[in-house]
Amino acid sequence: MSELHPLLRENVRLLGTLLGENVKEQHGDDLFELVEKVRRAAKLDRDVAAGDASPELVSLLSNLKDEELVPLSRAFNQFLNLSNIAEQYHGVRRSDEQAIDASVLFEELFDHLDAHNVQKERLASLLESLSIEFVLTAHPTEVARRTLIMKYDAITSVLHSKDRSDLNEREQQQIDDRLNTLVCEAWHTNEIREQRPSSVDEARWGFAVVENSLWQALPEFLRDFDMALYERYQIRLPLSSRPIRFASWMGGDRDGNPNVTSTVTKEVLALSRWMAADLYLRDLASLMTHLSMWEASAELVELAEQLDSGSGRNQSEPYRIVLSSLRKRLSNTRDWAAEVARGDVSNFSQDQLLLSTSELLEPLLICYRSLHEKGIARVADGALLDVIRRVQCFGLELLKLDVRQDSERHADAINEITEFLGIGTYNDWKEEERQAFLLKELQGKRPLIAKGMTWSEETQEVFDTCAVIAGESEEAFGSYVISMASKPSDILAVILLLREQGMNRKMRIVPLFETLDDLNSASESIDRLLSVPWYADYCDGYQQVMIGYSDSAKDAGQLAAGWAQYRAQESLVKVAAKHGVKLSLFHGRGGTVGRGGGPANKAILSQPPGSVDGRFRITEQGEMIRFKFGSPSLASKSLGIYASAVIEASLLPPPEPKPQWREALDALTAVSVNSYRDVVRNEPNFVEYFRSVTPEQELGKLALGSRPARRKSGGGVETLRAIPWIFAWMQIRLMLPAWLGSDDAFEQALNNDQDALMKEMSEQWPFFRAQVDMLEMVLIKADPRIARYYEQMLVDEDLKPLGKRLRGRFRKMVKLVNQLKGQKDLLEDSPEFGESLRVRATYTNPLHYLQAELLHRSRGQSHASEAEAQRVESALKVTMAGIAAGIRNTG
């Protein structure tokens, strides 16, 4: 068993000691001793591979007094969060130690390209159009409050300070005192939100990620990348390139979320512009201290003379004159955005504002060209270049806003129009009739909607949203994503609705294919769409398609969904080539394996050949935003991982899978999807068992996000969103959505003399290898002993045979993966990961056992007092958050 790195262990121990001191200080020796007893019992329980939970641990937890529930659960929750901080910081520190002259990541990429004789001209050409776009979403998987996240970030910063070797004794003491204070602040802060964040609150959190991390990380990453390119190939990142971009669904994703309205979208857009203007104002203030020189190009002098209308600026400082003018207009823009966000009437005229990114970028480029012309390149390529890179990435809107809505809402809106006009019921029409009607209207000149017409509340909201989009600048929005889109009419309907609200420009309309059936027919759908001459002209040679990972896995199981996603991308690439259209695939991945998560580089490098081609768009959500972009150093590292993988996948795409591999995977997934659905859809007791053994019903009490947990009230698993579906199974550590079905498929293949073929696929096919690796990663996080304890505490006797079968299938799955990989234990090649989980188990397992106890009390407390019920509910919420921190996943 691999040991944790000594420096990591030292920090974990230090933070744990400080937490213990705070527990003792607030709650006294008795509670501190209770925490220690539970911890020691959990340590013994952790090392038991099978059988029942430790009687001593169960006894301690089942006999807790009401007043001990919350502080005990908080102590274990806080330790796991502090442990995460130590591990996260250690990962960054180890990266820093390894990166000496240039990033190891880029060196490895360049070595790989050179080994395959990729000419630098091909790399330079790719960099001209490289586009990696991260879409921050409001999916409710971030359990930790923003208040605590900020404190955790501060703790990370202090750990960094402690690493310095030049500290004297007094400075070291000051750092230790600061660390103790921060741990104390975290301990005395409620870790559970009492109220759900609003959609605007979620958007503000997204802006904070940019302000506190990405704003600094982006130019740092690009500077390092540029330097590595020059040192190896003597080529530079083009000044005009925008290799990294950011967008957001926060305030735009209204699919199943009634809290996202047109009013919210308008306010979020204004707040985004306010934040952008404020950040650029800080940049300009800094630039004005740097650009004090007087030598300037004729181009800059002319611009300065035009702008210097009684400004009082020194004529010998042309750069400052230009920046001063920009600063004034940015300040006006910030004030104007604040007025719009409040709903006030603005008194600013357009010439007082910056309304397009080019108005901000061009003066900065003139300054840049001037400095180079006058031989002051060192200054030009410093802070000024950083600001130019930021402007090209973030623009004046900071985060481009995507809009997402279900296709049914658009169809219902068109249906109201056709019924009002007396021309029929649109929802009853066949696809050909719908297309004919939509195309006739799109090619006509008369308005379809007359003033004064009244609509249902839902349809009026669709119209109002379209009006907001039409009234904003093109730069404000990214894509209009249509959920459950399967027909050309789904896309044409949105274009018509936008036009009817005054839209006079083209917007990217992006169909989202989510279910297994939709993925299987995605290429046929896009082929039909691009075959419509009017739309072929509209899309102007570019089509974006979104691939859904979450709902497809919930629908068919992880293995079948993964293969359907792969085949859909392959066929979409061929369809795009057939129509001469550039295809951009938008990957709707989540954090967990069951929602398309896993190591980013493996996922990208396992995509079908030709599907990346220098363009990659992906959702980042919930806790994964914090894990990847929570600090500038983390963010820079994450950007490097993605950029390297996208470049490699574009220039050295993986080989086409062999025909026999395809046949084998077709057979595997045919077995897996039937096996998965036999349980999830056809097992009569499954839904009742699921709701009994997991905290699925109680998860709704966690104020994770503004969006409801269900698309529709009532119903079974099909109405539950993918996030709580996975969250619930993760809480009891059975991780069922990630492996169910794969067990029967792998068993059939490995027992039918296909073990050699399976091993060949695992070794030579990046896609299949990534599937197996992600499966292995989720299996090692599971623990059937813990799942069994939940069952013992919460499930009726007549349902327990189902649980026993599921745990037996899980154990079979572990054996099959080990057999396929030729190993005795899971993740033998990454022992550090397993050791990290083992150490965490000392603190995670008590939270599981306590959660089961709390669920038992909660579901049977019909005679409990209101105060007792409140204590149980509060402690239950803390255990949910703590388990998520311990496993480092929610949904």
Side-chain angles (χ1 to χ4, degrees), residues 373-384:
E373 182 180 319
K374 294 302 177 181
I376 320 176
R378 186 183 300 276
V379 175
D381 293 330
L384 176 58

Side-chain angles (χ1 to χ4, degrees), residues 743-744 747 808-817:
D743 57 321
D744 283 348
E747 182 179 43
R809 290 182 63 170
F810 168 83
R811 293 187 177 94
K812 176 178 72 176
M813 184 78 258
V814 173
K815 291 179 181 177
L816 290 167
V817 169

Side-chain angles (χ1 to χ4, degrees), residues 275-292:
M275 185 79 256
D278 191 66
L279 289 168
Y280 288 127
L281 281 169
R282 299 179 212 175
D283 280 355
L284 289 186
S286 175
L287 278 182
M288 289 181 73
T289 65
H290 293 296
L291 303 188
S292 57

Side-chain angles (χ1 to χ4, degrees), residues 155-271:
I155 290 173
T156 301
S157 178
V158 175
L159 289 177
H160 188 273
S161 298
K162 273 183 69 68
D163 271 352
R164 287 174 52 187
S165 59
D166 61 342
L167 298 172
N168 59 39
E169 188 174 338
R170 182 171 176 275
E171 289 170 332
Q172 184 67 59
Q173 185 60 51
Q174 288 175 332
I175 290 173
D176 290 342
D177 290 344
R178 173 64 176 153
L179 189 61
N180 199 354
T181 299
L182 286 168
V183 172
C184 180
E185 289 176 8
W187 172 248
H188 287 275
T189 299
N190 187 355
E191 55 268 87
I192 302 299
R193 301 183 189 96
E194 296 301 328
Q195 295 181 327
R196 286 187 178 275
S198 69
S199 301
V200 175
D201 290 335
E202 290 171 331
R204 285 195 175 100
W205 181 77
F207 304 152
V209 173
V210 176
E211 178 184 16
N212 298 325
S213 176
L214 294 173
W215 199 255
Q216 178 183 336
L218 177 87
E220 285 184 357
F221 157 72
L222 291 176
R223 199 183 307 120
D224 291 344
F225 187 32
D226 188 54
M227 184 182 301
L229 283 167
Y230 188 75
E231 288 180 351
R232 175 64 73 98
Y233 299 113
Q234 292 74 54
I235 60 176
R236 293 283 192 188
L237 269 180
L239 189 61
S240 59
S241 67
R242 298 175 57 197
I244 304 293
R245 310 177 195 200
F246 292 93
S248 174
W249 277 15
M250 302 180 191
D253 180 10
R254 59 238 313 123
D255 179 18
N257 189 352
N259 301 305
V260 180
T261 64
S262 57
T263 302
V264 165
T265 294
K266 193 166 186 176
E267 182 179 355
V268 167
L269 286 170
L271 289 172

